[in-house]
Amino acid sequence: MPSTPAPVVEHVVELAGNTMFTGPRGAGVTYVESTGSTNADMAAFVRSGGTSFRVLIAGHQDGGRGRFARRWQDTPGTNLAVSVLVPNNRPGRDWGWLSMVAGLAVAKVIEEVGGADRSRVTLKWPNDVLVDLGTDHGGKVCGILSERVDGPAGPHAVIGIGINVSMGVDELPVPTATSLALCGLSHDKDELLASLLVHLDDLLTVWLETGTVRDQYVERCDTIGAPVRITFDTEVVGGGDAAVEGVGVDVDDDGAIVVENSEGRRSFYAGDVNHLRIR
């Protein structure tokens, strides 16, 4: 599929209105055609003494990363790479919710701007947003990486979000990915970005005040109630089981997924979740 026009920052800000990024306490929105990594750029800004609620968008990044240091790949002009900077002093136990904030926001954007019915969008723990599973073009539509960066001005959250906007089948990084265009959804970049800033503002405001978004997340997470298989990179998580199967029954106060099986209930803070077919 052809690339889509780059976002117009002034239009994005106008559509988003008064958010923590675009309002009086924010530093606004910056767009660059290409960079290595928007998260790395934000981290460098913090370490050099910078601070503020700000947004960096790139039309292409060639050094992006996902969870567990996986590489994030894109084709120029066919995706959105967004990093938001959130100065805060929340306790460390609260920070795990930030990637879930991002996943929840993206799911809302896909429904609001993309026009997808709720039944088409799956939010899988912790932050995978999938569209149209079970169809030819169904799959994962975005990647998310939340990081803590400390600098002279204190601790900051850098939340990176990569959305596959108009990638064609031959441009997808992995067979399990998809794009908004492939799913037949609206994918105007200005509208997507503005909606994303509004929903991030709503959710981050709650997180900054309370340290969690558990109520909203539990209401929306499709892993709760689903048969699941969680697989682990034992080198990353320090050994133990290679996989666990059960039913996702809850998300605890710290953001861990709670899985129940014949051995009882266990909480997991990291792992790859697959929703299993009901046999």
Side-chain angles (χ1 to χ4, degrees), residues 38-84:
T38 55
N39 267 28
D41 292 347
M42 284 291 203
F45 172 75
V46 171
R47 293 185 180 116
S48 68
T51 188
S52 63
F53 294 89
R54 65 197 305 255
V55 181
L56 177 62
I57 306 162
H60 169 64
Q61 57 178 7
D62 55 23
R65 293 173 295 118
R67 294 173 65 226
F68 306 128
R70 293 164 180 156
R71 188 180 174 208
W72 176 261
Q73 296 173 268
D74 70 66
T75 300
T78 64
N79 90 322
L80 287 170
V82 183
S83 288
V84 300

Side-chain angles (χ1 to χ4, degrees), residues 161-197:
I161 303 170
I163 302 176
N164 297 336
V165 176
S166 58
M167 285 181 172
V169 173
D170 59 341
E171 296 169 320
L172 296 172
V174 292
T176 52
T178 191
S179 71
L180 298 179
L182 284 172
C183 293
L185 300 175
S186 177
H187 51 276
D188 180 274
K189 290 178 180 176
D190 289 5
E191 293 181 0
L192 291 169
L193 285 167
S195 177
L196 180 63
L197 295 187

Side-chain angles (χ1 to χ4, degrees), residues 149-228:
V149 181
D150 293 304
H156 295 67
V158 178
I159 308 172
I161 303 170
I163 302 176
N164 297 336
V165 176
S166 58
M167 285 181 172
V169 173
D170 59 341
E171 296 169 320
L172 296 172
V174 292
T176 52
T178 191
S179 71
L180 298 179
L182 284 172
C183 293
L185 300 175
S186 177
H187 51 276
D188 180 274
K189 290 178 180 176
D190 289 5
E191 293 181 0
L192 291 169
L193 285 167
S195 177
L196 180 63
L197 295 187
V198 169
H199 287 297
L200 285 174
D201 178 81
D202 289 342
L203 293 164
L204 286 169
T205 296
V206 174
W207 182 81
L208 288 166
E209 292 175 354
T210 68
T212 183
V213 291
R214 182 178 180 276
D215 289 347
Q216 291 190 61
Y217 184 84
V218 166
E219 183 180 349
R220 178 57 201 252
C221 180
D222 295 283
T223 303
I224 298 174
V228 298

Side-chain angles (χ1 to χ4, degrees), residues 69-129:
R70 293 164 180 156
R71 188 180 174 208
W72 176 261
Q73 296 173 268
D74 70 66
T75 300
T78 64
N79 90 322
L80 287 170
V82 183
S83 288
V84 300
L85 186 63
V86 184
N88 73 90
N89 59 359
R90 296 296 319 177
R93 63 170 286 177
D94 298 340
W95 287 63
W97 283 104
L98 288 172
S99 65
M100 299 185 214
V101 162
L104 185 54
V106 170
K108 292 183 176 185
V109 169
I110 292 172
E111 292 174 10
E112 180 178 277
V113 175
D117 183 82
R118 170 66 182 87
S119 62
R120 297 182 66 187
V121 184
T122 300
L123 180 58
K124 185 177 71 171
W125 183 91
N127 56 29
D128 282 353
V129 183

